[in-house]
Amino acid sequence: MFYITNIILVFLLSCSGGGNDSEIIEEPKEIIPKNLSLTIAISGTNTANPNGDGSGNITCTASAIDAVSYGFKVGSDAEIKSSNGEFNYTCTTEGLNEYVITVFAYSSTGNSISSFKKVAVFVAESGLQLIWSDEFNTDGAPDTSKWSFDLGNGCPDICGWGNGEKQYYTNRTDNVKVENGVLKIVAKKEAYEGSEYTSAKLLTKGKFDFTYGRVDVRAKLPSGSGTWPAIWMLGANIDAVGWPICGEIDIMEHWGHNPTLVSSATHTPSCSGGCPNTKVGETTITDYATEFHIYSLEWTADELNFIIDGNLKYSYKPTVKNSSNWPYFAPQYLILNVAMGGSWFSIDPNFEESVMEIDYIKVYK
C-alpha cells in the first residue's frame, strides 16, 4: 500500500513540474534607432556672415526613428543629454574655428547609433568693434565714398608699377563691378591704351586709413598663369616719405604660375619680402579659386599676425623695433587689385580672363 502511494505521488509531482516548463519567458528584443539626422544652425548666419554674427551661438537639432533620447558632444567635451533632440552651445574660442559635433540617439532598450558634423563658427574678439566695412550689397560700381582707383599703367613715373606688370588699370564695369553681393575685379586679355591686358586696382587712400586693428577679407582668387591678385596695405604717408619707408603689409598675395601657394609678407626699409632675418608666410590652399577663404591681419603695436580661415599662418615681430624694421606705427590704407605679369614671371599666352571675388572686407578696432 505504501509503495503504490509513493508511485502516485511521484507521478503527480512529475506532471506538475512538466506544466511549469512549458511557460517560456521571452527576453525583450533590442531596438536599434535608425535614420539619424543632425542639423546645425549658427546664430546670425547670412550671406555676409556665413560663419555667424560673432556671438558663437549654435543650435543643434537631431531626430531618429525609434529614439527616445539623445546625447551631444562638442569635440572631446563631455556628452550632454537631451530628451527632445535639441542642444544649444556657445563657442568661445575667438576667430574662425572648426568644431566637431557628435550626436547619439538612444532607444528604449538602451541601444544607440551616432553621427557627427563639422561646422566652422566665427567668434568675435573681446572688445573689438567694427569701424569700417564694405559688404558689397549694392550692384553696380563700387561705393565711391569708400573706394578710389589707381588708373593707367603707372607711366611715366613708375611704369609697370615698379614690377614690370603688363595690365592697364581701369574703372570700367568690364574690369570692376559689384554683382550679387560680391565685388568682382576682372583681369582681361585685351588691347587697351597700348597695353595687352586690363584689370582694376581699388584703394581706400584719402577715404579711410587706420592704425592697429583687425582686417578680415573673404575672397575667392583668380586662376591662370600670369595672374597676381593681392589684398594689401600701404602707409598713408607714402606721398611724403615714399616706399618702403611708409611700410607695406601684404595680407594675401597669390601668383597663378605657382597656383597652390598663398603668401603674406612685410616690406620695410630693412627688408622687402623674405630676407635672411625675416620669413615670408606661405601656406598651401588647393581650392583658392573655387572656394571663398577669409584672409585676416591682426595688427598691434607689437606684432603683425597673418591668419587664414581663423588659423595663424605667420607672425612678424622684430625683437628690437626701429624705424627701419617697424614703420607700422602710423596709419595705413587698404588696396585690392589683380595685376598681370611681372618682371620675374610670364603670362600664359592662352590666358583670356579671370576674376577675383570679394564677399566682404571688415576692419575692427
Side-chain angles (χ1 to χ4, degrees), residues 333-350:
Y333 60 87
L334 300 160
I335 308 171
L336 307 171
N337 72 290
V338 179
M340 289 298 302
S343 55
W344 69 97
F345 63 95
S346 59
I347 303 171
D348 180 355
N350 296 315

Side-chain angles (χ1 to χ4, degrees), residues 69-261:
S69 65
Y70 300 86
F72 293 88
K73 287 185 65 176
V74 179
S76 59
D77 290 355
E79 181 180 345
I80 304 298
K81 298 293 186 179
S82 169
S83 60
N84 61 0
E86 292 187 0
F87 172 65
N88 296 310
Y89 184 83
T90 300
C91 306
T92 57
T93 303
E94 295 177 350
L96 181 65
N97 295 280
E98 187 174 74
Y99 297 83
V100 178
I101 312 297
T102 304
V103 61
F104 303 87
Y106 296 94
S107 70
S108 58
T109 57
N111 299 98
S112 66
I113 59 174
S114 65
S115 183
F116 72 92
K117 280 188 176 181
K118 295 180 179 180
V119 59
V121 182
F122 172 69
V123 177
E125 293 189 21
S126 302
L128 283 183
Q129 293 183 342
L130 185 68
I131 60 171
W132 186 93
S133 69
D134 198 338
E135 299 181 12
F136 307 108
N137 291 328
T138 303
D139 286 359
D143 186 345
T144 55
S145 70
K146 297 180 178 182
W147 300 100
S148 56
F149 295 90
D150 264 345
L151 301 175
N153 57 12
C155 290
D157 297 328
I158 184 169
C159 292
W161 301 100
N163 300 301
E165 300 165 27
K166 305 299 188 286
Q167 79 286 338
Y168 192 101
Y169 285 135
T170 85
N171 57 3
R172 305 175 305 160
T173 55
D174 287 349
N175 296 115
V176 57
K177 59 184 175 182
V178 177
E179 187 175 61
N180 298 323
V182 173
L183 172 69
K184 297 181 178 181
I185 299 178
V186 185
K188 303 179 67 173
K189 183 178 183 179
E190 62 172 332
Y192 188 86
E193 296 293 336
S195 297
E196 297 181 25
Y197 302 89
T198 60
S199 186
K201 180 179 181 182
L202 289 74
L203 52 160
T204 64
K205 184 180 180 182
K207 300 177 184 290
F208 171 74
D209 55 48
F210 69 103
T211 307
Y212 310 138
R214 178 185 172 106
V215 182
D216 289 337
V217 184
R218 186 171 186 261
K220 186 189 297 184
L221 308 183
S223 62
S225 183
T227 57
W228 182 4
I231 301 167
W232 53 302
M233 299 165 56
L234 280 174
N237 60 349
I238 187 171
D239 292 337
V241 302
W243 182 94
I245 296 174
C246 66
E248 176 181 330
I249 304 173
D250 297 330
I251 301 172
M252 185 291 305
E253 280 188 287
H254 178 264
W255 293 270
H257 66 279
N258 196 0
T260 61
L261 190 68

